[in-house]
Amino acid sequence: MFACFCPFWTSAQVDTSKVQRLDEVQINAKKNNFILNSPTPVQLIAGEELKRINSLSVADAVRYFSGVQLKDYGGVGGLKTINVRGMGSNHTAVFYNGVQLANAQNGQVDLGKFSLENMEEISLYSGQNSNLLQPAKAYASASMLYLKTVTPKFEHGEKHQFKVGLKGGSFALINPVVNYNYRFAERTFFNINGELLNANGKYKYRYRDLAYDTTVVRHDADIFAKRAEVGLHHLFRDSAKLQLNLYQYNSERGIPGAIVADKFRFSQRQWDDNFFVQTSYETVSNKRYQLLLNAKYAYDYTRYIDPDIKLIDGFLDNRYVQQEIYFSVANQYYITNFWKASLSTDYAKQDLDANLENFAHPTRDTWLLALASEWHWQRFKLQANVLRTYVNDKVQTNIPAGKKTKYTPTVLVSWQPLAASELRLRAFYKTIFRMPTFNDLYYTLIGNTFLRPEYAHQYDVGLTYSKNFSGTYLKGIALQSDVYYNQVTDKIVAVPGASLFRWSMSNLDKVEIKGAELNLQSFWQFNQVTAALKVNYTYEEALDVTPNGTAYRNQIPYIPVHSGSATANANYKSWGANYSFIYTGERYDQKANISANYVEPWYTHDIAFHKTFGGKKVNYRASAEINNLLNQYYDVVLNYPMPGRNYRFSIYANF
Amino acid sequence: MNIILRRTGFLILLTALLFSCRKDKVIPEPENITAVSGLYVLNEGNWGSNKCDLDFYDFKNSTYKRDVYKAANPEVTLGLGDTGNDVKAYGSRLYIVVNGSNKLEVINVKTAKRIGKVDIPNCRNIAFYKNKAYVTSYNGYVAVIDTAALTIAAQINVGRQPEELVVVGDKLYVANSGGYTSTNYDRTVSVIDLTTGTKIKDIDVAINLHRLKADSYGDLYVSSRGDYDKIGSNLYVIDTKTDAVKKKFDIPAGNLAIHKDIAYVYSAEWSNSAGAYIITYNKINVKDEVVLSGSFITDGTQANIMMPYGIAVDPASEDIFVTDAKDYVTPGKLHCYTSSGKLKWSVTTGDIPAQMVFVK
């Protein structure tokens, strides 16, 4: 039976709550089935596994996915963005409980800001989620990262649940966490989760060359952040679900710059204030007609200062306010028992205000309409959808980018050739685009309102396979492998003006990406020891094929040809150990693949130990992590040194 | 193979075998070319990339050597630094203004060995007068450097974000840009009396001033960058006898080099109507102050230049050197033209080749 070896099954060994244990096994069995059945590649980390891997934020966790390059500027507070399958970070949409975390200003979501404390599951979809009942936004990017927060689970008669925790370690990190779950009616749960994060961000890094060996301390990477999340869950009598989430994040941080000769200190700082409230209502899944409603309001404030830029009075002090309102209605209907269709429509309004001179104050209205259908014949599945995007930009000054209407298609297929074998073949084709961001279009002196959307065309063929064993130490294996070909056309790049002061955005470049991903999981049991081993490998040839370009057929910057990860965990009674290895091959930091632009491969080894203890009333969980065990000094982004060996300890009490 | 590898045994060895180990950087071989002159070329490198270095064309051996600073000073941590903005020779030394590293680097002009450095925040350009170096800082002043002690002797306040500066007689002229405030650019050339070290005047010229060169007739050629939008770049002449503007050329001007009676002026300016960059190569007779007809590159090879970024004229051979920064993110080119504008040779440089200086 499939559920026997799902990757989270081992969690049952360490969890003390019976209810949770059963749930976890069932839910995760379903999830693993879902992964292997999906016509698009899905990778996910959830539940116990998420607690075990050496991670502080969502950014740390996504490093374990194949096909992912995390752009990490280093340290606790450094910017961390995700680039999937070489298409660029603006082609990955990030969803929080099913609703996109949009950023019209620069199109990027800093995953370092999202704590794992309140996360239940992180999943990455290449192409899209093949679920038909989803907002139109879920069709509107080349890849999607879904973050799902914890839904409280209560045992019969239980009303209150508390969790307090404390993390600390290198970089003078102090990170207290509290969580309170309250069941105020049979099927109504309330949940509040909060944390403080403080770190001075200091760490040593080392530069070595033929004739020097210099160790320096990274300064100005301090951070102080506060996060509070409130969740309200209601399950109706007929099992329809209503959920409300409030999210509030404030931070002040140093912005450590590029380390260059004679410059090791930085005075730039940033303040962030992010707030959103979102709600979702979903009807019962076993009905012929199903409805999903979502709504959101978001407010994001950023203040950035650069005391080195001296103005007539004072220094550079920029403030940005971005607001969004969003509504989505998704409907799914079973036409016959093998044919279903869905129609989703989303509306979003975003606007950006800034204290910049001559600022355009852009407002963007987006209407999305997605029509999707799925046919299911025995072991063959075909899904197709078309997305209509209508975007209208307005500005208060200067020229708006105006109205655009685009239609983009997706086709997904999956086929299980033999009923007796868990081998499935799959393929998908998708064309989608990313809109130019407000920065691309309207940034004073740089923006170009004539920009076209940047397209990503994806072709993917893959297989999934799983097999269970009995009577052996090896209990099961699961495999996914895909080969893909992507084209990014009309890629938006900054091109030079008459001086370095005057760059301009242009739809100039074209990129061709040929890749292969291999994802292998195995599950073991040796008497009382359970173990899992996961290996990911990505091959990616991402070539600049811009006609008449300066770097024709060179590998694009920061995409390694080879990258991968391996994780192993073992559990014995209440003890657990986790080891992970991440490898990123050689890269180039600029277009030309020459020695001056060569960036060394890096690889880190991380280990962690966990122990649960305590009784019926209070149970504890303690862990110790050592990251970058071999103290390798490396840059992910040129001249942004990453931390060497560092430590993290945590203790949680649940009662 | 690195040291970690030797120390830590099996696991890492396996890793290294699986994934190939880190390689050492390779210093490019000098490229052979034939030419008549020699010079230092300062490659700015992109902001934050720390890829600023000097290239040197050795006229005796006809070799073009890349990254001569790093080769001569391997012990200097992280090398010459980030975003070089100016280089000039004075006596037996070469002075390099490294903007992104906030320093003035001083090296031996023959060996390129480091002599010392002076920290100057947001430094931009350099000029010399009586064993003192004068360096503009975007913080609104000129730093006066004692070249013997390599210390800052004084600061003279000028306009906002000063750029190039030039000494004529006993006076120092400084072009102020005000580039940090695009709604209120500076418009002045500050005049400093070098005998007293004080500012005596601000000459109102035009917005966003940048280049400043002197001819042999006591005139200054100063370029305005315009506002990159409605107001284009322009070129003005200041008479240093009266310290007043005496002529406006109404030609686009990005950079210029003056040799004898000719100013060689290029420009690369975005045109909204054309939807492209308009690149021009003009000649001006500085004696009569008239624009001469035709481009100073005459054989049509200017079509190969994507983004002209530096210009210099060899005082001995009168050859014209133009650098091409291309798209700023790929290695540039140095082109050598005869005085009649025919391409003699080209060579690949570092990223964003800009300022050049001829040395004896």
Side-chain angles (χ1 to χ4, degrees):
Chain A
M1 197 197 137
F2 200 81
C4 293
F5 72 86
C6 67
F8 321 106
W9 156 91
T10 51
S11 65
Q13 307 299 312
V14 287
D15 219 304
T16 51
S17 155
K18 265 187 189 167
V19 175
Q20 203 163 331
R21 170 167 148 184
L22 262 174
D23 275 1
E24 194 118 334
V25 171
Q26 285 161 357
I27 290 166
N28 290 322
K30 249 168 101 181
K31 271 173 192 158
N32 216 19
N33 250 328
F34 170 70
I35 290 174
L36 296 168
N37 285 332
S38 173
T40 51
V42 190
Q43 301 175 72
L44 73 79
I45 304 180
E48 269 302 310
E49 195 189 13
L50 205 50
K51 288 182 192 158
R52 277 200 300 256
I53 55 172
N54 300 41
S55 300
L56 187 63
S57 71
V58 168
D60 298 321
V62 300
R63 297 178 305 161
Y64 299 99
F65 292 143
S66 58
V68 162
Q69 295 307 320
L70 185 76
K71 203 166 191 185
D72 188 344
Y73 288 81
V76 180
L79 175 69
K80 294 162 177 63
T81 59
I82 187 178
N83 180 351
V84 180
R85 292 187 166 185
M87 292 179 288
S89 51
N90 286 16
H91 282 288
T92 303
V94 183
F95 290 78
Y96 176 97
N97 288 340
V99 178
Q100 193 184 353
L101 296 162
N103 183 346
Q105 185 178 2
N106 60 30
Q108 301 194 342
V109 177
D110 183 358
L111 298 177
K113 279 186 188 166
F114 289 90
S115 165
L116 287 179
E117 283 303 332
N118 198 31
M119 291 297 166
E120 185 167 286
E121 181 187 300
I122 298 171
S123 50
L124 177 71
Y125 291 79
S126 286
Q128 64 196 32
N129 188 331
S130 61
N131 188 357
L132 280 200
L133 186 70
Q134 57 182 0
K137 282 250 186 186
Y139 296 91
S141 287
S143 44
M144 329 273 171
L145 182 71
Y146 285 86
L147 312 178
K148 191 171 175 296
T149 60
V150 175
T151 305
K153 294 175 191 77
F154 289 90
E155 288 194 57
H156 188 71
E158 201 182 8
K159 266 193 106 130
H160 307 276
Q161 289 173 346
F162 296 90
K163 181 175 85 173
V164 291
L166 181 66
K167 274 189 191 176
S170 303
F171 325 113
L173 174 77
I174 300 169
N175 183 199
V177 188
V178 290
N179 186 76
Y180 170 59
N181 299 337
Y182 174 53
R183 180 196 230 170
F184 55 82
E186 180 58 25
R187 293 177 313 276
T188 310
F189 311 133
F190 167 84
N191 152 260
I192 181 160
N193 183 289
E195 72 180 297
L196 294 177
L197 187 148
N198 190 71
N200 68 18
K202 286 183 189 168
Y203 56 86
K204 281 183 189 163
Y205 56 95
R206 185 175 179 182
Y207 283 113
R208 276 190 292 184
D209 206 276
L210 298 173
Y212 62 80
D213 184 345
T214 308
T215 300
V216 196
V217 175
R218 185 57 143 167
H219 285 278
D220 313 307
D222 60 288
I223 178 165
F224 176 63
K226 295 173 278 188
R227 180 182 59 82
E229 284 178 69
V230 174
L232 194 61
H233 307 260
H234 180 72
L235 213 58
F236 291 92
R237 278 196 190 283
D238 66 351
S239 293
K241 278 182 283 187
L242 179 69
Q243 186 172 343
L244 179 81
N245 290 100
L246 253 88
Y247 180 97
Q248 171 73 50
Y249 177 89
N250 302 80
S251 68
E252 178 187 347
R253 70 187 72 205
I255 302 290
I259 298 291
V260 298
D262 299 282
K263 192 156 139 191
F264 303 99
R265 295 300 300 263
F266 300 88
S267 54
Q268 293 78 8
R269 297 194 72 73
Q270 186 173 307
W271 289 261
D272 285 290
D273 191 351
N274 306 112
F275 168 79
F276 63 78
V277 54
Q278 69 183 50
T279 183
S280 150
Y281 170 78
E282 187 177 350
T283 61
V284 197
S285 59
N286 58 7
K287 292 277 167 63
R288 188 157 199 180
Y289 170 75
Q290 212 184 333
L291 172 70
L292 171 67
L293 301 172
N294 281 293
K296 179 181 183 175
Y297 167 75
Y299 171 94
D300 297 294
Y301 165 85
T302 304
R303 178 184 176 208
Y304 172 79
I305 64 162
D306 186 347
D308 292 348
I309 300 209
K310 306 260 192 292
L311 303 179
I312 297 172
D313 35 30
F315 49 77
L316 184 127
D317 185 346
N318 289 340
R319 289 142 204 247
Y320 303 89
V321 172
Q322 205 180 155
Q323 293 185 85
E324 184 190 35
I325 49 169
Y326 168 76
F327 299 99
S328 168
V329 182
N331 315 270
Q332 179 182 272
Y333 186 73
Y334 274 91
I335 299 162
T336 67
N337 60 356
F338 59 86
W339 180 21
K340 61 179 174 178
S342 77
L343 185 70
S344 312
T345 182
D346 290 18
Y347 168 73
K349 187 181 192 75
Q350 295 163 307
D351 79 48
L352 179 65
D353 196 3
N355 67 337
L356 304 175
E357 299 283 355
N358 278 335
F359 187 69
H361 298 278
T363 301
R364 172 173 292 176
D365 288 291
T366 307
W367 284 98
L368 299 172
L369 186 70
L371 178 65
S373 194
E374 185 183 290
W375 297 266
H376 209 133
W377 292 286
Q378 291 175 343
R379 300 184 305 275
F380 182 79
K381 192 153 87 175
L382 171 68
Q383 198 187 101
N385 74 266
V386 62
L387 175 72
R388 178 187 190 268
T389 307
Y390 168 83
V391 177
N392 186 11
D393 278 15
K394 291 177 198 139
V395 292
Q396 285 176 24
T397 55
N398 307 329
I399 313 157
K403 297 168 188 171
K404 288 181 180 72
T405 306
K406 303 278 174 197
Y407 292 87
T408 47
T410 305
V411 181
L412 321 171
V413 254
S414 85
W415 180 45
Q416 185 183 4
L418 301 164
S421 168
E422 289 292 330
L423 171 71
R424 285 182 176 80
L425 305 176
R426 65 184 177 197
F428 80 85
Y429 159 74
K430 177 166 184 165
T431 284
I432 192 64
F433 58 87
R434 68 119 171 151
M435 281 298 295
T437 64
F438 285 162
N439 277 2
D440 296 337
L441 294 163
Y442 308 115
Y443 201 79
T444 316
L445 290 184
I446 293 179
N448 171 4
T449 55
F450 301 107
L451 284 176
R452 297 180 302 274
E454 173 184 312
Y455 275 84
H457 311 272
Q458 300 181 80
Y459 305 83
D460 179 289
V461 178
L463 61 86
T464 64
Y465 178 70
S466 67
K467 195 164 170 54
N468 290 343
F469 305 97
S470 54
T472 52
Y473 291 136
L474 179 64
K475 293 296 170 201
I477 55 160
L479 167 95
Q480 321 190 42
S481 184
D482 286 84
V483 292
Y484 57 89
Y485 172 74
N486 299 339
Q487 254 190 1
V488 180
T489 55
D490 272 348
K491 190 176 166 101
I492 298 169
V493 290
V495 292
S499 76
L500 281 173
F501 292 94
R502 181 42 164 127
W503 287 60
S504 151
M505 306 309 293
S506 182
N507 287 100
L508 205 64
D509 283 10
K510 189 175 172 187
V511 181
E512 256 177 27
I513 304 147
K514 286 176 195 156
E517 286 171 11
L518 177 70
N519 218 295
L520 181 65
Q521 306 186 25
S522 61
F523 309 97
W524 306 75
Q525 180 152 23
F526 311 92
N527 299 321
Q528 293 202 62
V529 179
T530 58
L533 177 69
K534 273 190 181 185
V535 180
N536 280 330
Y537 167 77
T538 305
Y539 169 87
E540 199 161 53
E541 183 193 75
L543 301 181
D544 181 339
V545 291
T546 309
N548 308 313
T550 52
Y552 187 72
R553 295 199 72 77
N554 281 335
Q555 182 85 359
I556 62 170
Y558 289 117
I559 300 296
V561 174
H562 305 284
S563 59
S565 69
T567 56
N569 66 66
N571 296 285
Y572 172 72
K573 293 183 176 170
S574 62
W575 295 87
N578 195 79
Y579 161 81
S580 59
F581 170 76
I582 292 176
Y583 174 86
T584 297
E586 58 183 43
R587 295 146 296 149
Y588 294 93
D589 63 67
Q590 267 174 25
K591 280 177 149 189
N593 293 178
I594 57 174
S595 67
N597 298 335
Y598 177 83
V599 185
E600 289 187 312
W602 60 265
Y603 31 89
T604 53
H605 303 263
D606 301 340
I607 54 170
F609 299 97
H610 310 277
K611 162 87 178 147
T612 54
F613 53 97
K616 275 180 186 161
K617 281 200 156 171
V618 185
N619 70 72
Y620 300 91
R621 178 193 180 88
S623 63
E625 296 174 28
I626 308 172
N627 299 305
N628 195 356
L629 186 67
L630 300 177
N631 203 27
Q632 187 176 83
Y633 291 98
Y634 66 102
D635 289 3
V636 175
V637 181
L638 184 72
N639 300 331
Y640 287 84
M642 298 293 290
R645 186 184 303 120
N646 62 87
Y647 307 89
R648 203 152 47 218
F649 304 95
S650 64
I651 179 137
Y652 291 90
N654 287 284
F655 49 94
Chain B
M1 293 280 158
N2 59 37
I3 295 157
I4 304 170
L5 191 65
R6 264 178 256 134
R7 269 194 218 145
T8 46
F10 175 70
L11 192 61
I12 310 309
L13 184 65
L14 190 70
T15 306
L17 288 173
L18 278 172
F19 296 115
S20 91
C21 65
R22 296 172 141 199
K23 22 179 186 196
D24 294 325
K25 286 206 173 190
V26 185
I27 296 157
E29 287 292 306
E31 206 173 318
N32 283 305
I33 46 166
T34 47
V36 293
S37 194
L39 80 165
Y40 277 105
V41 178
L42 181 65
N43 298 297
E44 289 187 0
N46 267 280
W47 181 258
S49 73
N50 200 46
K51 287 183 185 173
C52 170
D53 209 321
L54 282 172
D55 292 350
F56 184 68
Y57 175 64
D58 178 343
F59 62 90
K60 264 188 208 153
N61 301 316
S62 298
T63 53
Y64 188 83
K65 283 186 200 150
R66 293 285 323 281
D67 299 343
V68 294
Y69 179 91
K70 187 174 167 57
N73 303 284
E75 75 291 350
V76 176
T77 299
L78 296 176
L80 184 53
D82 189 47
T83 325
N85 197 66
D86 199 8
V87 57
K88 284 199 172 71
Y90 189 63
S92 62
R93 295 165 167 190
L94 203 63
Y95 293 78
I96 309 148
V97 183
V98 191
N99 177 248
S101 287
N102 296 323
K103 66 168 176 179
L104 174 67
E105 182 79 23
V106 186
I107 64 173
N108 181 300
V109 79
K110 291 232 155 47
T111 63
K113 283 297 275 182
R114 176 186 245 192
I115 293 165
K117 63 151 184 151
V118 186
D119 295 325
I120 308 167
N122 218 337
C123 46
R124 297 291 296 174
N125 289 281
I126 190 166
F128 301 93
Y129 176 78
K130 293 190 177 169
N131 294 320
K132 290 212 164 53
Y134 293 82
V135 179
T136 47
S137 161
Y138 256 14
N139 292 354
Y141 61 84
V142 173
V144 185
I145 314 295
D146 178 332
T147 56
L150 290 182
T151 53
I152 298 177
Q155 281 185 11
I156 305 164
N157 288 338
V158 292
R160 288 177 288 127
Q161 289 83 55
E163 296 279 9
E164 292 196 351
L165 68 175
V166 69
V167 174
V168 180
D170 292 328
K171 287 190 286 190
L172 176 66
Y173 293 81
V174 183
N176 302 305
S177 71
Y180 281 161
T181 315
S182 60
T183 48
N184 186 8
Y185 287 113
D186 204 320
R187 317 179 30 94
T188 60
V189 167
S190 298
V191 188
I192 292 158
D193 181 344
L194 290 170
T195 57
T196 61
T198 51
K199 188 173 85 171
I200 51 173
K201 194 178 178 183
D202 284 321
I203 308 167
D204 183 86
V205 184
I207 60 162
N208 202 1
L209 301 178
H210 186 201
R211 308 290 184 184
L212 189 62
K213 311 283 181 198
D215 70 7
S216 53
Y217 300 99
D219 289 336
L220 287 176
Y221 284 72
V222 56
S223 74
S224 156
R225 290 190 185 105
D227 66 356
Y228 314 109
D229 185 20
K230 292 181 178 68
I231 306 166
S233 64
N234 215 322
L235 188 65
Y236 297 81
V237 183
I238 293 170
D239 185 338
T240 59
K241 291 176 215 72
T242 59
D243 284 342
V245 176
K246 69 169 180 181
K247 188 168 172 80
K248 178 185 178 191
F249 276 105
D250 282 323
I251 59 163
N255 198 359
L256 71 159
I258 300 174
H259 172 66
K260 292 185 177 163
D261 281 353
I262 304 292
Y264 299 86
V265 187
Y266 73 75
S267 163
E269 197 161 44
W270 177 259
S271 158
N272 275 327
S273 55
Y277 290 94
I278 307 294
I279 300 178
T280 54
Y281 300 92
N282 281 308
K283 273 190 296 189
I284 292 173
N285 179 327
V286 295
K287 189 181 175 196
D288 305 326
E289 290 157 21
V290 290
V291 179
L292 302 172
S293 65
S295 163
F296 66 77
I297 301 172
T298 54
D299 60 357
T301 54
Q302 65 269 40
N304 299 328
I305 302 178
M306 262 175 88
M307 186 55 61
Y309 204 72
I311 183 162
V313 181
D314 180 346
S317 67
E318 302 194 327
D319 283 347
I320 307 158
F321 290 81
V322 177
T323 61
D324 181 0
K326 301 208 168 189
D327 57 2
Y328 289 177
V329 288
T330 39
K333 283 268 182 195
L334 171 66
H335 300 287
C336 174
Y337 300 90
T338 64
S339 56
S340 61
K342 306 268 190 292
L343 181 66
K344 286 174 80 173
W345 51 265
S346 302
V347 66
T348 301
T349 64
D351 292 347
I352 319 182
Q355 303 285 339
M356 289 168 273
V357 60
F358 295 94
V359 288
K360 297 277 176 217

